[in-house]
Amino acid sequence: MADPLVSVLLPVYNCERYLADAIDSILSQTFSDFEFIIIDDGSTDRSSDVIAGYGDQRIRIIQQENRGLAATLNRGIGLATGKYIARQDQDDLSYPERLGQQVDFMEAHPDCVLLGTWAQIMEIDRVVNRFHRHPVDEAELRYLMLFNNPFVHSSVMLRRTALAQVGGYTTDPERQPPEDFELWSRLARAGGIANLGEVLLAYREIPGSMSRVGPAPFRRRLITICSENLAAASGLSADDPDIRAIAALTHGGVEEVSTRPDFSRMQSILLGAIQPSVAESLAASLRQDALARVQAMQAGWMVRESPAYDLLHRSGPFRTLAKRLWRLAQRLRGPQ
């Protein structure tokens, strides 16, 4: 029997309440040439019973002792036989046209290795008028990846050959979580990236979901990943002090910056990271964003040097202040 075109990968850990809906959303796809790999990562609730209740021949059930999300995903990738790997989270819902639209795009764009979609947010069981509508333009996505993750993990489709090339999800505790952003960053250096501008997923926000469990502080890992992305875009070293300063100040890590940054050079680095082939209308918007970011970083550093910093640092996260300053800088600049 021929291998399926798509391998859908669903890791499960203690999600009996929402799991059936997630599974049903995949089995209800209009596109049918897929295998469905469901890995129960040592659940202690009734998740295994929910999975066992399905008799669809496309489902492959794997039971294992708890390994954690990244290691479980890598096991699924190793078992996959499809040309493409589609992620599905245990508490999210894929809309019926999702896989079909993603396969059409991937087949038409053989250079694309990472494809996400837009998503509507569910607050526990209630669909609300909030969305993840990340950019679809590759140049804008590459620019935004200098700072953060512009993909909804549960929406992505990946080219399996590219995953083999970059080595899958890292299990290094110094680099994950965020295991998704870390992998997307390496994949983006191996091929094209895109988002479909269609809402093809319902993304459920619930306390204790698999993507949110574990220790909250991972800012230092974010700074490391962003430094590497900035270095790749600029041709500089990830240890360059101004590269590190951009990454640290973006994520409120002012304590990671030991000496006053060169804000003029930081501005040049960000402007130089904008791809020269970008359409002028988008390039102008990205240049405005780069300038606003540096202005916010500089304003944040001025606070850091002020006598009031220690009080501000104790009374609230520096990151919140930095974001507010950035938004203020954007409003003050206005259209260019």
Side-chain angles (χ1 to χ4, degrees):
M1 188 171 65
D3 290 334
L5 191 57
V6 176
S7 297
V8 180
L9 180 53
L10 170 59
V12 175
Y13 182 70
N14 289 350
C15 195
E16 61 178 304
R17 177 176 175 182
Y18 303 109
L19 183 54
D21 288 342
I23 294 173
D24 290 343
S25 77
I26 293 297
L27 297 179
S28 300
Q29 293 292 300
T30 57
F31 177 89
S32 60
D33 186 15
F34 64 83
E35 63 177 351
F36 194 2
I37 302 172
I38 305 176
I39 305 180
D40 182 1
D41 187 31
S43 294
T44 57
D45 65 355
R46 292 186 60 259
S47 292
S48 62
D49 294 335
V50 174
I51 299 167
Y54 287 87
D56 193 294
Q57 294 301 305
R58 293 169 296 182
I59 294 178
R60 299 170 61 188
I61 302 172
I62 310 297
Q63 300 281 348
Q64 67 181 30
E65 296 295 319
N66 184 260
R67 299 185 183 185
L69 181 57
T72 299
L73 290 170
N74 282 340
R75 185 176 187 193
I77 292 168
L79 294 168
T81 61
K83 181 178 179 181
Y84 306 116
I85 293 179
R87 277 284 288 110
Q88 172 68 37
D89 274 354
Q90 61 185 5
D91 46 22
D92 295 342
L93 306 176
S94 287
Y95 294 161
E97 301 290 336
R98 177 199 159 189
L99 294 183
Q101 290 198 30
Q102 288 186 299
V103 167
D104 287 346
F105 185 94
M106 296 291 272
E107 291 285 275
H109 299 84
D111 61 321
C112 184
V113 299
L114 165 61
L115 176 65
T117 79
W118 287 353
Q120 185 164 15
I121 292 172
M122 297 177 66
E123 294 177 350
I124 307 181
D125 292 317
R126 185 171 62 96
V127 176
V128 297
N129 193 31
R130 294 168 50 218
F131 299 86
H132 289 299
R133 289 193 176 109
H134 295 304
V136 299
D137 184 275
E138 180 164 7
E140 188 171 4
L141 284 170
R142 289 188 179 278
Y143 172 79
L144 291 177
M145 284 188 71
L146 302 178
F147 314 107
N148 225 315
N149 178 13
F151 294 93
V152 178
H153 193 174
S154 189
S155 80
V156 301
M157 181 172 284
L158 312 168
R159 195 171 295 271
R160 186 159 64 97
T161 53
L163 276 173
Q165 178 184 340
V166 304
Y169 290 87
T170 182
T171 56
D172 181 352
E174 295 299 317
R175 297 185 63 81
Q176 62 83 30
E179 68 288 322
D180 51 352
F181 184 35
E182 199 277 342
L183 176 57
W184 309 161
S185 298
R186 288 183 285 120
L187 278 171
R189 296 169 206 144
I193 59 175
N195 273 317
L196 293 180
E198 299 283 344
V199 177
L200 297 174
L201 184 85
Y203 177 85
R204 197 187 305 266
E205 290 185 344
I206 56 174
S209 66
M210 193 170 186
S211 61
R212 291 166 183 256
V213 297
F218 56 66
R219 183 174 62 191
R220 188 163 295 174
R221 300 183 198 115
L222 277 176
I223 292 170
T224 296
I225 296 166
C226 290
S227 294
E228 292 169 353
N229 291 348
L230 287 158
S234 65
L236 299 171
S237 167
D239 294 324
D240 182 287
D242 291 320
I243 291 286
R244 292 287 298 180
I246 294 171
L249 294 175
T250 293
H251 293 285
V254 67
E255 69 280 357
E256 302 285 335
V257 184
S258 57
T259 60
R260 180 178 178 83
D262 184 339
F263 291 102
S264 177
R265 183 167 179 261
M266 289 163 61
Q267 178 175 297
S268 296
I269 290 170
L270 290 187
L271 292 174
I274 299 171
Q275 295 182 337
S277 58
V278 176
E280 180 51 36
S281 59
L282 176 58
S285 174
L286 297 184
R287 286 194 295 268
Q288 179 179 335
D289 181 271
L291 296 175
R293 286 178 184 272
V294 174
Q295 288 176 352
M297 293 175 197
Q298 191 164 12
W301 184 262
M302 289 173 62
V303 173
R304 170 67 179 88
E305 292 184 317
S306 75
Y309 170 74
D310 288 338
L311 177 61
L312 286 169
H313 194 59
R314 285 195 301 268
S315 61
F318 185 83
R319 180 180 183 178
T320 301
L321 175 61
K323 285 185 175 180
R324 289 175 178 171
L325 289 169
W326 174 35
R327 295 189 186 108
L328 177 60
Q330 288 180 308
R331 288 199 297 270
L332 291 176
R333 284 189 60 77
Q336 299 298 300

